[in-house]
């Protein structure tokens, strides 16, 4: 049995997952909690937010994020990649700065226009 707190909504349901019983979930107030718990144990993913260096803009850092959740085990590799990025202004919100990172079909995109 594994205990989790659901982060899908602000309610924060206390979930219990029975791995020996086909990952049966209890404690969830909605179906999203059960889906979250199963995914968290079978294939955890995370959105990454950070900043990159930007040249030719009024500020030195550009906020970025992944456009899709990334497998949790690739988070540190993703951050190492983000730390190597150096972009040139102008940049538009949603612009892909690094495509298909780490072979995952996830892109690093700008979250601000500079």
């Amino acid at each position: 049995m594994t205990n989790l707190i659901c982060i899908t909504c602000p309610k924060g349901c206390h979930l219990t997952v029975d791995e020996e019983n086909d990952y049966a979930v209890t404690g969830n107030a909605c179906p999203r909690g059960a889906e979250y718990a199963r995914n968290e144990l079978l294939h955890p993913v995370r959105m990454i937010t950070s900043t990159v260096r930007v040249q030719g803009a009024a500020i030195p850092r550009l906020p970025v994020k992944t456009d899709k959740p990334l497998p949790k085990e690739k988070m540190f590799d993703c951050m190492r990649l983000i730390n190597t990025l150096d972009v040139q202004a102008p940049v538009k919100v949603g612009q892909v700065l690094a495509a298909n990172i780490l072979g995952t079909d996830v892109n690093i995109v700008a979250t601000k226009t500079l």
Side-chain angles (χ1 to χ4, degrees), residues 35-84:
E35 181 182 352
Y36 165 77
R38 282 188 206 95
N39 287 340
E40 187 63 20
L41 292 180
L42 296 172
H43 183 66
V45 293
R46 298 290 185 271
M47 293 291 289
I48 305 291
T49 60
S50 188
T51 60
V52 298
R53 289 181 300 275
V54 61
Q55 305 297 321
I59 58 175
R61 305 291 293 184
L62 170 71
V64 298
K65 69 173 189 156
T66 54
D67 63 350
K68 294 179 235 174
L70 183 73
K72 188 176 176 183
E73 67 270 10
K74 296 191 181 258
M75 285 176 40
F76 289 106
D77 293 333
C78 177
M79 285 306 302
R80 278 190 280 281
L81 176 86
I82 287 173
N83 288 335
T84 67

mmCIF file of all heavy atoms in Angstrom, residues 35-84:
data_model
loop_
_atom_site.group_PDB
_atom_site.id
_atom_site.type_symbol
_atom_site.label_atom_id
_atom_site.label_comp_id
_atom_site.label_asym_id
_atom_site.label_seq_id
_atom_site.Cartn_x
_atom_site.Cartn_y
_atom_site.Cartn_z
ATOM 1 N N GLU A 35 -6.724 8.376 -11.388
ATOM 2 C CA GLU A 35 -5.803 8.410 -12.539
ATOM 3 C C GLU A 35 -4.446 8.972 -12.129
ATOM 4 O O GLU A 35 -3.405 8.439 -12.494
ATOM 5 C CB GLU A 35 -6.409 9.252 -13.660
ATOM 6 C CG GLU A 35 -5.534 9.316 -14.879
ATOM 7 C CD GLU A 35 -6.120 10.200 -15.973
ATOM 8 O OE1 GLU A 35 -7.265 10.651 -15.858
ATOM 9 O OE2 GLU A 35 -5.388 10.439 -16.959
ATOM 10 N N TYR A 36 -4.455 10.044 -11.344
ATOM 11 C CA TYR A 36 -3.211 10.643 -10.865
ATOM 12 C C TYR A 36 -2.386 9.624 -10.073
ATOM 13 O O TYR A 36 -1.192 9.470 -10.292
ATOM 14 C CB TYR A 36 -3.501 11.872 -9.992
ATOM 15 C CG TYR A 36 -2.310 12.308 -9.181
ATOM 16 C CD1 TYR A 36 -1.269 13.015 -9.760
ATOM 17 C CD2 TYR A 36 -2.198 11.964 -7.831
ATOM 18 C CE1 TYR A 36 -0.157 13.385 -9.028
ATOM 19 C CE2 TYR A 36 -1.095 12.333 -7.086
ATOM 20 C CZ TYR A 36 -0.082 13.043 -7.687
ATOM 21 O OH TYR A 36 1.032 13.397 -6.958
ATOM 22 N N ALA A 37 -3.026 8.915 -9.145
ATOM 23 C CA ALA A 37 -2.313 7.970 -8.285
ATOM 24 C C ALA A 37 -1.688 6.840 -9.106
ATOM 25 O O ALA A 37 -0.527 6.484 -8.893
ATOM 26 C CB ALA A 37 -3.261 7.408 -7.238
ATOM 27 N N ARG A 38 -2.450 6.272 -10.028
ATOM 28 C CA ARG A 38 -1.902 5.195 -10.861
ATOM 29 C C ARG A 38 -0.720 5.691 -11.684
ATOM 30 O O ARG A 38 0.323 5.034 -11.762
ATOM 31 C CB ARG A 38 -2.988 4.623 -11.774
ATOM 32 C CG ARG A 38 -3.917 3.692 -11.060
ATOM 33 C CD ARG A 38 -4.874 2.992 -12.028
ATOM 34 N NE ARG A 38 -6.082 2.629 -11.316
ATOM 35 C CZ ARG A 38 -7.195 3.353 -11.271
ATOM 36 N NH1 ARG A 38 -7.284 4.479 -11.944
ATOM 37 N NH2 ARG A 38 -8.216 2.937 -10.568
ATOM 38 N N ASN A 39 -0.874 6.860 -12.307
ATOM 39 C CA ASN A 39 0.211 7.413 -13.120
ATOM 40 C C ASN A 39 1.437 7.722 -12.279
ATOM 41 O O ASN A 39 2.573 7.511 -12.719
ATOM 42 C CB ASN A 39 -0.249 8.675 -13.852
ATOM 43 C CG ASN A 39 -1.186 8.369 -14.988
ATOM 44 O OD1 ASN A 39 -1.238 7.249 -15.484
ATOM 45 N ND2 ASN A 39 -1.953 9.366 -15.393
ATOM 46 N N GLU A 40 1.216 8.226 -11.085
ATOM 47 C CA GLU A 40 2.341 8.586 -10.222
ATOM 48 C C GLU A 40 3.164 7.358 -9.831
ATOM 49 O O GLU A 40 4.380 7.432 -9.691
ATOM 50 C CB GLU A 40 1.833 9.307 -8.975
ATOM 51 C CG GLU A 40 2.912 9.871 -8.097
ATOM 52 C CD GLU A 40 3.764 10.945 -8.750
ATOM 53 O OE1 GLU A 40 3.353 11.558 -9.752
ATOM 54 O OE2 GLU A 40 4.877 11.174 -8.237
ATOM 55 N N LEU A 41 2.520 6.218 -9.694
ATOM 56 C CA LEU A 41 3.249 5.003 -9.337
ATOM 57 C C LEU A 41 3.794 4.253 -10.553
ATOM 58 O O LEU A 41 4.860 3.650 -10.477
ATOM 59 C CB LEU A 41 2.358 4.076 -8.515
ATOM 60 C CG LEU A 41 2.005 4.606 -7.133
ATOM 61 C CD1 LEU A 41 1.130 3.610 -6.400
ATOM 62 C CD2 LEU A 41 3.245 4.902 -6.319
ATOM 63 N N LEU A 42 3.081 4.284 -11.666
ATOM 64 C CA LEU A 42 3.491 3.513 -12.842
ATOM 65 C C LEU A 42 4.398 4.293 -13.787
ATOM 66 O O LEU A 42 5.324 3.734 -14.368
ATOM 67 C CB LEU A 42 2.255 3.022 -13.609
ATOM 68 C CG LEU A 42 1.372 2.044 -12.838
ATOM 69 C CD1 LEU A 42 0.087 1.779 -13.606
ATOM 70 C CD2 LEU A 42 2.129 0.756 -12.589
ATOM 71 N N HIS A 43 4.114 5.578 -13.983
ATOM 72 C CA HIS A 43 4.897 6.390 -14.922
ATOM 73 C C HIS A 43 4.828 7.862 -14.501
ATOM 74 O O HIS A 43 4.076 8.646 -15.083
ATOM 75 C CB HIS A 43 4.363 6.223 -16.350
ATOM 76 C CG HIS A 43 5.147 6.967 -17.368
ATOM 77 N ND1 HIS A 43 6.443 6.666 -17.678
ATOM 78 C CD2 HIS A 43 4.825 8.029 -18.140
ATOM 79 C CE1 HIS A 43 6.876 7.495 -18.605
ATOM 80 N NE2 HIS A 43 5.908 8.339 -18.892
ATOM 81 N N PRO A 44 5.590 8.256 -13.477
ATOM 82 C CA PRO A 44 5.523 9.635 -13.002
ATOM 83 C C PRO A 44 6.114 10.620 -14.016
ATOM 84 O O PRO A 44 7.152 10.349 -14.624
ATOM 85 C CB PRO A 44 6.342 9.622 -11.715
ATOM 86 C CG PRO A 44 7.235 8.450 -11.831
ATOM 87 C CD PRO A 44 6.526 7.448 -12.698
ATOM 88 N N VAL A 45 5.435 11.743 -14.211
ATOM 89 C CA VAL A 45 5.888 12.791 -15.122
ATOM 90 C C VAL A 45 5.796 14.135 -14.421
ATOM 91 O O VAL A 45 5.040 14.298 -13.460
ATOM 92 C CB VAL A 45 5.061 12.818 -16.428
ATOM 93 C CG1 VAL A 45 5.286 11.572 -17.254
ATOM 94 C CG2 VAL A 45 3.586 13.014 -16.144
ATOM 95 N N ARG A 46 6.561 15.110 -14.907
ATOM 96 C CA ARG A 46 6.559 16.454 -14.343
ATOM 97 C C ARG A 46 6.706 17.488 -15.454
ATOM 98 O O ARG A 46 7.404 17.259 -16.434
ATOM 99 C CB ARG A 46 7.737 16.658 -13.371
ATOM 100 C CG ARG A 46 7.733 15.758 -12.160
ATOM 101 C CD ARG A 46 6.616 16.121 -11.203
ATOM 102 N NE ARG A 46 6.659 15.339 -9.989
ATOM 103 C CZ ARG A 46 6.054 14.173 -9.807
ATOM 104 N NH1 ARG A 46 5.367 13.630 -10.776
ATOM 105 N NH2 ARG A 46 6.128 13.546 -8.663
ATOM 106 N N MET A 47 6.052 18.635 -15.262
ATOM 107 C CA MET A 47 6.300 19.809 -16.089
ATOM 108 C C MET A 47 7.534 20.486 -15.500
ATOM 109 O O MET A 47 7.701 20.523 -14.273
ATOM 110 C CB MET A 47 5.121 20.781 -16.056
ATOM 111 C CG MET A 47 3.868 20.260 -16.709
ATOM 112 S SD MET A 47 3.976 20.090 -18.493
ATOM 113 C CE MET A 47 3.983 21.783 -19.017
ATOM 114 N N ILE A 48 8.380 21.022 -16.349
ATOM 115 C CA ILE A 48 9.586 21.720 -15.902
ATOM 116 C C ILE A 48 9.425 23.200 -16.225
ATOM 117 O O ILE A 48 9.051 23.556 -17.345
ATOM 118 C CB ILE A 48 10.848 21.183 -16.611
ATOM 119 C CG1 ILE A 48 10.986 19.680 -16.444
ATOM 120 C CG2 ILE A 48 12.097 21.926 -16.156
ATOM 121 C CD1 ILE A 48 11.302 19.215 -15.067
ATOM 122 N N THR A 49 9.697 24.057 -15.263
ATOM 123 C CA THR A 49 9.747 25.499 -15.494
ATOM 124 C C THR A 49 11.103 26.003 -15.044
ATOM 125 O O THR A 49 11.656 25.525 -14.049
ATOM 126 C CB THR A 49 8.636 26.248 -14.730
ATOM 127 O OG1 THR A 49 8.801 26.009 -13.336
ATOM 128 C CG2 THR A 49 7.257 25.775 -15.172
ATOM 129 N N SER A 50 11.645 26.956 -15.805
ATOM 130 C CA SER A 50 12.961 27.477 -15.480
ATOM 131 C C SER A 50 13.168 28.777 -16.245
ATOM 132 O O SER A 50 12.204 29.361 -16.745
ATOM 133 C CB SER A 50 14.037 26.447 -15.861
ATOM 134 O OG SER A 50 15.307 26.865 -15.387
ATOM 135 N N THR A 51 14.420 29.207 -16.328
ATOM 136 C CA THR A 51 14.782 30.371 -17.140
ATOM 137 C C THR A 51 16.035 30.034 -17.935
ATOM 138 O O THR A 51 16.806 29.144 -17.556
ATOM 139 C CB THR A 51 15.063 31.620 -16.271
ATOM 140 O OG1 THR A 51 16.144 31.342 -15.386
ATOM 141 C CG2 THR A 51 13.826 32.045 -15.493
ATOM 142 N N VAL A 52 16.225 30.753 -19.047
ATOM 143 C CA VAL A 52 17.440 30.623 -19.859
ATOM 144 C C VAL A 52 18.031 32.006 -20.074
ATOM 145 O O VAL A 52 17.337 33.022 -19.970
ATOM 146 C CB VAL A 52 17.173 29.935 -21.219
ATOM 147 C CG1 VAL A 52 16.656 28.527 -21.032
ATOM 148 C CG2 VAL A 52 16.227 30.745 -22.071
ATOM 149 N N ARG A 53 19.318 32.032 -20.410
ATOM 150 C CA ARG A 53 19.963 33.298 -20.729
ATOM 151 C C ARG A 53 19.397 33.839 -22.041
ATOM 152 O O ARG A 53 19.129 33.081 -22.962
ATOM 153 C CB ARG A 53 21.475 33.107 -20.873
ATOM 154 C CG ARG A 53 22.188 32.829 -19.562
ATOM 155 C CD ARG A 53 23.691 32.677 -19.760
ATOM 156 N NE ARG A 53 24.036 31.578 -20.652
ATOM 157 C CZ ARG A 53 24.171 30.303 -20.274
ATOM 158 N NH1 ARG A 53 23.992 29.979 -19.014
ATOM 159 N NH2 ARG A 53 24.489 29.373 -21.136
ATOM 160 N N VAL A 54 19.233 35.162 -22.112
ATOM 161 C CA VAL A 54 18.755 35.790 -23.342
ATOM 162 C C VAL A 54 19.635 37.005 -23.635
ATOM 163 O O VAL A 54 19.984 37.763 -22.727
ATOM 164 C CB VAL A 54 17.256 36.174 -23.251
ATOM 165 C CG1 VAL A 54 16.990 37.158 -22.150
ATOM 166 C CG2 VAL A 54 16.739 36.690 -24.573
ATOM 167 N N GLN A 55 20.018 37.136 -24.886
ATOM 168 C CA GLN A 55 20.846 38.259 -25.335
ATOM 169 C C GLN A 55 19.970 39.244 -26.103
ATOM 170 O O GLN A 55 19.050 38.833 -26.806
ATOM 171 C CB GLN A 55 21.967 37.760 -26.256
ATOM 172 C CG GLN A 55 22.851 36.679 -25.660
ATOM 173 C CD GLN A 55 23.611 37.147 -24.452
ATOM 174 O OE1 GLN A 55 24.092 38.280 -24.403
ATOM 175 N NE2 GLN A 55 23.710 36.284 -23.448
ATOM 176 N N GLY A 56 20.248 40.532 -25.976
ATOM 177 C CA GLY A 56 19.542 41.541 -26.748
ATOM 178 C C GLY A 56 18.175 41.900 -26.215
ATOM 179 O O GLY A 56 17.330 42.409 -26.949
ATOM 180 N N ALA A 57 17.917 41.664 -24.939
ATOM 181 C CA ALA A 57 16.630 41.992 -24.333
ATOM 182 C C ALA A 57 16.873 42.884 -23.117
ATOM 183 O O ALA A 57 17.996 43.012 -22.635
ATOM 184 C CB ALA A 57 15.893 40.725 -23.916
ATOM 185 N N ALA A 58 15.801 43.484 -22.623
ATOM 186 C CA ALA A 58 15.898 44.385 -21.473
ATOM 187 C C ALA A 58 16.198 43.627 -20.176
ATOM 188 O O ALA A 58 16.673 44.226 -19.214
ATOM 189 C CB ALA A 58 14.604 45.178 -21.325
ATOM 190 N N ILE A 59 15.908 42.328 -20.137
ATOM 191 C CA ILE A 59 16.191 41.521 -18.953
ATOM 192 C C ILE A 59 17.110 40.369 -19.349
ATOM 193 O O ILE A 59 17.104 39.932 -20.504
ATOM 194 C CB ILE A 59 14.892 41.002 -18.290
ATOM 195 C CG1 ILE A 59 14.064 40.163 -19.269
ATOM 196 C CG2 ILE A 59 14.060 42.158 -17.755
ATOM 197 C CD1 ILE A 59 12.837 39.512 -18.652
ATOM 198 N N PRO A 60 17.913 39.861 -18.418
ATOM 199 C CA PRO A 60 18.909 38.846 -18.772
ATOM 200 C C PRO A 60 18.404 37.408 -18.834
ATOM 201 O O PRO A 60 19.107 36.531 -19.337
ATOM 202 C CB PRO A 60 19.959 38.976 -17.672
ATOM 203 C CG PRO A 60 19.188 39.472 -16.489
ATOM 204 C CD PRO A 60 18.114 40.365 -17.055
ATOM 205 N N ARG A 61 17.211 37.130 -18.321
ATOM 206 C CA ARG A 61 16.707 35.756 -18.282
ATOM 207 C C ARG A 61 15.318 35.705 -18.906
ATOM 208 O O ARG A 61 14.501 36.602 -18.733
ATOM 209 C CB ARG A 61 16.625 35.222 -16.846
ATOM 210 C CG ARG A 61 17.908 35.285 -16.032
ATOM 211 C CD ARG A 61 18.978 34.359 -16.482
ATOM 212 N NE ARG A 61 18.650 32.963 -16.282
ATOM 213 C CZ ARG A 61 19.495 31.974 -16.552
ATOM 214 N NH1 ARG A 61 20.684 32.235 -17.033
ATOM 215 N NH2 ARG A 61 19.134 30.739 -16.372
ATOM 216 N N LEU A 62 15.047 34.603 -19.607
ATOM 217 C CA LEU A 62 13.766 34.365 -20.258
ATOM 218 C C LEU A 62 13.089 33.179 -19.580
ATOM 219 O O LEU A 62 13.686 32.099 -19.492
ATOM 220 C CB LEU A 62 13.989 34.055 -21.742
ATOM 221 C CG LEU A 62 12.788 33.557 -22.541
ATOM 222 C CD1 LEU A 62 11.785 34.679 -22.742
ATOM 223 C CD2 LEU A 62 13.244 33.000 -23.887
ATOM 224 N N PRO A 63 11.849 33.320 -19.104
ATOM 225 C CA PRO A 63 11.167 32.174 -18.511
ATOM 226 C C PRO A 63 10.772 31.153 -19.580
ATOM 227 O O PRO A 63 10.328 31.518 -20.671
ATOM 228 C CB PRO A 63 9.936 32.787 -17.836
ATOM 229 C CG PRO A 63 9.723 34.096 -18.499
ATOM 230 C CD PRO A 63 11.051 34.539 -19.026
ATOM 231 N N VAL A 64 10.960 29.876 -19.263
ATOM 232 C CA VAL A 64 10.661 28.784 -20.189
ATOM 233 C C VAL A 64 9.962 27.655 -19.441
ATOM 234 O O VAL A 64 9.976 27.619 -18.211
ATOM 235 C CB VAL A 64 11.941 28.237 -20.869
ATOM 236 C CG1 VAL A 64 12.622 29.302 -21.703
ATOM 237 C CG2 VAL A 64 12.909 27.661 -19.848
ATOM 238 N N LYS A 65 9.382 26.733 -20.204
ATOM 239 C CA LYS A 65 8.768 25.541 -19.620
ATOM 240 C C LYS A 65 8.760 24.444 -20.667
ATOM 241 O O LYS A 65 8.981 24.682 -21.853
ATOM 242 C CB LYS A 65 7.347 25.819 -19.146
ATOM 243 C CG LYS A 65 6.375 26.065 -20.275
ATOM 244 C CD LYS A 65 4.968 26.158 -19.769
ATOM 245 C CE LYS A 65 4.003 26.173 -20.945
ATOM 246 N NZ LYS A 65 2.694 25.712 -20.580
ATOM 247 N N THR A 66 8.479 23.231 -20.227
ATOM 248 C CA THR A 66 8.255 22.145 -21.164
ATOM 249 C C THR A 66 6.820 22.260 -21.660
ATOM 250 O O THR A 66 5.937 22.698 -20.920
ATOM 251 C CB THR A 66 8.482 20.769 -20.512
ATOM 252 O OG1 THR A 66 7.674 20.665 -19.337
ATOM 253 C CG2 THR A 66 9.950 20.546 -20.162
ATOM 254 N N ASP A 67 6.589 21.900 -22.926
ATOM 255 C CA ASP A 67 5.227 22.000 -23.457
ATOM 256 C C ASP A 67 4.373 20.792 -23.101
ATOM 257 O O ASP A 67 3.162 20.818 -23.307
ATOM 258 C CB ASP A 67 5.236 22.246 -24.964
ATOM 259 C CG ASP A 67 5.856 21.112 -25.772
ATOM 260 O OD1 ASP A 67 6.458 20.184 -25.181
ATOM 261 O OD2 ASP A 67 5.753 21.157 -27.008
ATOM 262 N N LYS A 68 4.981 19.756 -22.572
ATOM 263 C CA LYS A 68 4.279 18.549 -22.112
ATOM 264 C C LYS A 68 5.024 18.025 -20.887
ATOM 265 O O LYS A 68 6.198 18.336 -20.701
ATOM 266 C CB LYS A 68 4.304 17.454 -23.188
ATOM 267 C CG LYS A 68 3.543 17.760 -24.433
ATOM 268 C CD LYS A 68 3.663 16.615 -25.404
ATOM 269 C CE LYS A 68 4.187 17.194 -26.688
ATOM 270 N NZ LYS A 68 4.508 16.294 -27.714
ATOM 271 N N PRO A 69 4.373 17.207 -20.099
ATOM 272 C CA PRO A 69 5.097 16.601 -18.974
ATOM 273 C C PRO A 69 6.227 15.700 -19.474
ATOM 274 O O PRO A 69 6.116 15.048 -20.503
ATOM 275 C CB PRO A 69 4.025 15.779 -18.264
ATOM 276 C CG PRO A 69 2.727 16.357 -18.690
ATOM 277 C CD PRO A 69 2.951 16.858 -20.085
ATOM 278 N N LEU A 70 7.299 15.703 -18.725
ATOM 279 C CA LEU A 70 8.512 14.942 -19.033
ATOM 280 C C LEU A 70 8.626 13.797 -18.027
ATOM 281 O O LEU A 70 8.289 13.976 -16.854
ATOM 282 C CB LEU A 70 9.706 15.884 -18.881
ATOM 283 C CG LEU A 70 11.093 15.416 -19.194
ATOM 284 C CD1 LEU A 70 11.264 15.273 -20.708
ATOM 285 C CD2 LEU A 70 12.110 16.413 -18.677
ATOM 286 N N PRO A 71 9.091 12.610 -18.451
ATOM 287 C CA PRO A 71 9.298 11.538 -17.470
ATOM 288 C C PRO A 71 10.174 12.024 -16.309
ATOM 289 O O PRO A 71 11.186 12.683 -16.520
ATOM 290 C CB PRO A 71 9.993 10.450 -18.275
ATOM 291 C CG PRO A 71 9.553 10.683 -19.684
ATOM 292 C CD PRO A 71 9.442 12.185 -19.809
ATOM 293 N N LYS A 72 9.748 11.730 -15.110
ATOM 294 C CA LYS A 72 10.414 12.234 -13.912
ATOM 295 C C LYS A 72 11.905 11.901 -13.876
ATOM 296 O O LYS A 72 12.715 12.711 -13.423
ATOM 297 C CB LYS A 72 9.711 11.676 -12.673
ATOM 298 C CG LYS A 72 10.176 12.266 -11.374
ATOM 299 C CD LYS A 72 9.366 11.729 -10.212
ATOM 300 C CE LYS A 72 9.886 12.244 -8.895
ATOM 301 N NZ LYS A 72 9.136 11.666 -7.767
ATOM 302 N N GLU A 73 12.277 10.735 -14.382
ATOM 303 C CA GLU A 73 13.688 10.341 -14.334
ATOM 304 C C GLU A 73 14.568 11.181 -15.263
ATOM 305 O O GLU A 73 15.783 11.129 -15.180
ATOM 306 C CB GLU A 73 13.854 8.851 -14.645
ATOM 307 C CG GLU A 73 13.500 8.449 -16.064
ATOM 308 C CD GLU A 73 12.043 8.057 -16.253
ATOM 309 O OE1 GLU A 73 11.226 8.256 -15.330
ATOM 310 O OE2 GLU A 73 11.727 7.554 -17.338
ATOM 311 N N LYS A 74 13.972 11.984 -16.142
ATOM 312 C CA LYS A 74 14.745 12.828 -17.062
ATOM 313 C C LYS A 74 14.807 14.288 -16.619
ATOM 314 O O LYS A 74 15.339 15.133 -17.326
ATOM 315 C CB LYS A 74 14.157 12.732 -18.463
ATOM 316 C CG LYS A 74 14.277 11.336 -19.036
ATOM 317 C CD LYS A 74 13.945 11.300 -20.501
ATOM 318 C CE LYS A 74 14.046 9.889 -21.017
ATOM 319 N NZ LYS A 74 15.249 9.642 -21.740
ATOM 320 N N MET A 75 14.278 14.594 -15.434
ATOM 321 C CA MET A 75 14.237 15.985 -14.962
ATOM 322 C C MET A 75 15.621 16.624 -14.876
ATOM 323 O O MET A 75 15.819 17.740 -15.343
ATOM 324 C CB MET A 75 13.568 16.063 -13.583
ATOM 325 C CG MET A 75 12.089 15.917 -13.617
ATOM 326 S SD MET A 75 11.308 15.887 -11.978
ATOM 327 C CE MET A 75 12.200 17.105 -11.068
ATOM 328 N N PHE A 76 16.573 15.947 -14.282
ATOM 329 C CA PHE A 76 17.893 16.543 -14.096
ATOM 330 C C PHE A 76 18.620 16.695 -15.428
ATOM 331 O O PHE A 76 19.322 17.688 -15.648
ATOM 332 C CB PHE A 76 18.717 15.739 -13.084
ATOM 333 C CG PHE A 76 18.193 15.891 -11.686
ATOM 334 C CD1 PHE A 76 17.502 14.858 -11.083
ATOM 335 C CD2 PHE A 76 18.360 17.072 -10.979
ATOM 336 C CE1 PHE A 76 17.000 14.998 -9.800
ATOM 337 C CE2 PHE A 76 17.861 17.223 -9.696
ATOM 338 C CZ PHE A 76 17.176 16.186 -9.096
ATOM 339 N N ASP A 77 18.451 15.735 -16.340
ATOM 340 C CA ASP A 77 19.038 15.867 -17.670
ATOM 341 C C ASP A 77 18.423 17.055 -18.402
ATOM 342 O O ASP A 77 19.115 17.792 -19.105
ATOM 343 C CB ASP A 77 18.829 14.586 -18.489
ATOM 344 C CG ASP A 77 19.606 13.412 -17.929
ATOM 345 O OD1 ASP A 77 20.650 13.638 -17.278
ATOM 346 O OD2 ASP A 77 19.163 12.265 -18.130
ATOM 347 N N CYS A 78 17.126 17.250 -18.240
ATOM 348 C CA CYS A 78 16.445 18.385 -18.845
ATOM 349 C C CYS A 78 17.006 19.695 -18.304
ATOM 350 O O CYS A 78 17.263 20.633 -19.068
ATOM 351 C CB CYS A 78 14.940 18.297 -18.592
ATOM 352 S SG CYS A 78 14.003 19.705 -19.220
ATOM 353 N N MET A 79 17.197 19.778 -17.005
ATOM 354 C CA MET A 79 17.731 21.013 -16.417
ATOM 355 C C MET A 79 19.157 21.283 -16.887
ATOM 356 O O MET A 79 19.523 22.436 -17.127
ATOM 357 C CB MET A 79 17.672 20.950 -14.887
ATOM 358 C CG MET A 79 16.289 21.137 -14.333
ATOM 359 S SD MET A 79 15.459 22.640 -14.904
ATOM 360 C CE MET A 79 16.600 23.906 -14.367
ATOM 361 N N ARG A 80 19.964 20.242 -17.056
ATOM 362 C CA ARG A 80 21.318 20.437 -17.586
ATOM 363 C C ARG A 80 21.236 21.028 -18.996
ATOM 364 O O ARG A 80 21.994 21.932 -19.345
ATOM 365 C CB ARG A 80 22.098 19.131 -17.576
ATOM 366 C CG ARG A 80 22.700 18.816 -16.220
ATOM 367 C CD ARG A 80 23.684 17.650 -16.271
ATOM 368 N NE ARG A 80 23.017 16.358 -16.266
ATOM 369 C CZ ARG A 80 22.526 15.769 -15.169
ATOM 370 N NH1 ARG A 80 22.634 16.360 -14.012
ATOM 371 N NH2 ARG A 80 21.939 14.602 -15.245
ATOM 372 N N LEU A 81 20.311 20.522 -19.806
ATOM 373 C CA LEU A 81 20.120 21.046 -21.158
ATOM 374 C C LEU A 81 19.651 22.498 -21.119
ATOM 375 O O LEU A 81 20.180 23.347 -21.842
ATOM 376 C CB LEU A 81 19.108 20.189 -21.923
ATOM 377 C CG LEU A 81 18.772 20.718 -23.304
ATOM 378 C CD1 LEU A 81 19.784 20.197 -24.299
ATOM 379 C CD2 LEU A 81 17.379 20.340 -23.704
ATOM 380 N N ILE A 82 18.674 22.802 -20.292
ATOM 381 C CA ILE A 82 18.169 24.176 -20.172
ATOM 382 C C ILE A 82 19.292 25.133 -19.781
ATOM 383 O O ILE A 82 19.385 26.244 -20.297
ATOM 384 C CB ILE A 82 16.994 24.239 -19.168
ATOM 385 C CG1 ILE A 82 15.747 23.613 -19.805
ATOM 386 C CG2 ILE A 82 16.718 25.666 -18.722
ATOM 387 C CD1 ILE A 82 14.573 23.460 -18.858
ATOM 388 N N ASN A 83 20.158 24.697 -18.888
ATOM 389 C CA ASN A 83 21.254 25.555 -18.434
ATOM 390 C C ASN A 83 22.270 25.860 -19.532
ATOM 391 O O ASN A 83 23.054 26.792 -19.397
ATOM 392 C CB ASN A 83 21.947 24.947 -17.222
ATOM 393 C CG ASN A 83 21.085 25.029 -15.984
ATOM 394 O OD1 ASN A 83 20.213 25.882 -15.870
ATOM 395 N ND2 ASN A 83 21.299 24.114 -15.051
ATOM 396 N N THR A 84 22.263 25.104 -20.624
ATOM 397 C CA THR A 84 23.186 25.380 -21.738
ATOM 398 C C THR A 84 22.578 26.317 -22.773
ATOM 399 O O THR A 84 23.292 26.817 -23.635
ATOM 400 C CB THR A 84 23.605 24.075 -22.455
ATOM 401 O OG1 THR A 84 22.469 23.511 -23.116
ATOM 402 C CG2 THR A 84 24.218 23.080 -21.497
#
